[in-house]
Amino acid sequence: MKPKELANVIDRYIRPQTFPLSFKFGDDARARKLKDLTICQVYNISRRYGWFLKFDVETTCPLGIIAYGFAEPDELYSSGKLAYEAGYAIDEEVGKKFEEVVPKMKGQSSCLVAPLEREDFISNPDFVVVYGTPAQILRFVHAYLYDKGGKVETSILGRGACAEFLEAYIHKRLKIVIPCYGDRLFGLTQDHEMAVAFPFEIAEEIARGLEETHKRGIRYPIPNTALRIPLPMIESYRKSVEAMRKPGKS
């Protein structure tokens, strides 16, 4: 399956408000580089504006730099001071525990991000990220489990959503992500938004699951049954309708 084909399936069955994104480790001379921004700013620009961008060690969030493998942890990172001073941890020892569980790549120089439909930019993504409402993200869970059953297990860091995307790529599975504080503070992700990430190698599985569950009646927008239930009307309305339904009335 090609990226644009997957983008078309997502648009048909999910209709997210922003572009689904493709991520690819590497470099491309055509990609724009916006220095001194956080990673979450970069990919939020891409999902809202449709730009082809790259990010590397010159981004401004140490958590993302380490997670994406652009540099090795420095002393401040390893000490737990970052999580502590950002307000997440009661002390630096607890801060260390935050940093220890952050997913981490090794030896990467840069990463590309573009709308999934722009396969002229990224033809073979490493992983895909889609933002949407909880109901839209739920449909990806249905799609992923359609031919395997069971459940989707996930973990939540509460910080470093960009790093959580990597879990999908590293572990080759669907990952549900609650965008972090920084994603909302810097990337302008809204209160109602969640995200889902998955490796591109399961694109056909996701697309097939979306299509098949849709055929079986599990859909988005969810067809709320309340709209199909007759509701009580005020007495004059009811009598007026009854009168108009009598034979000879037009």
Side-chain angles (χ1 to χ4, degrees), residues 25-51:
F25 286 100
D27 202 353
D28 190 312
R30 299 172 298 169
R32 299 176 63 178
K33 179 179 175 181
L34 305 177
K35 295 175 61 175
D36 299 324
L37 297 182
T38 62
I39 291 175
C40 53
Q41 284 178 285
V42 173
Y43 62 69
N44 271 284
I45 288 172
S46 185
R47 79 177 176 101
R48 295 184 186 282
Y49 301 163
W51 292 4

Side-chain angles (χ1 to χ4, degrees), residues 220-233:
Y220 184 84
I222 297 172
N224 195 301
T225 56
L227 290 177
R228 291 172 277 164
I229 297 174
L231 299 175
M233 300 295 289

Side-chain angles (χ1 to χ4, degrees), residues 6 10 127-130 136-146 148-149 151-155 164-177 194-203 205-207 210:
L6 176 60
I10 293 173
F127 59 95
V128 174
V129 174
V130 185
Q136 289 172 318
I137 301 306
L138 178 63
R139 290 293 292 115
F140 285 97
V141 175
H142 299 150
Y144 181 68
L145 296 179
Y146 181 69
K148 60 174 65 68
K151 61 184 178 180
V152 172
E153 294 186 354
T154 194
S155 58
E164 292 190 89
F165 299 158
L166 296 173
E167 286 191 43
Y169 176 59
I170 294 170
H171 300 296
K172 309 303 180 187
R173 63 176 183 237
L174 189 83
K175 169 70 177 178
I176 306 300
V177 178
M194 293 180 63
V196 64
F198 54 89
F200 186 70
E201 63 190 65
I202 67 169
E205 175 186 339
I206 295 296
L210 287 173

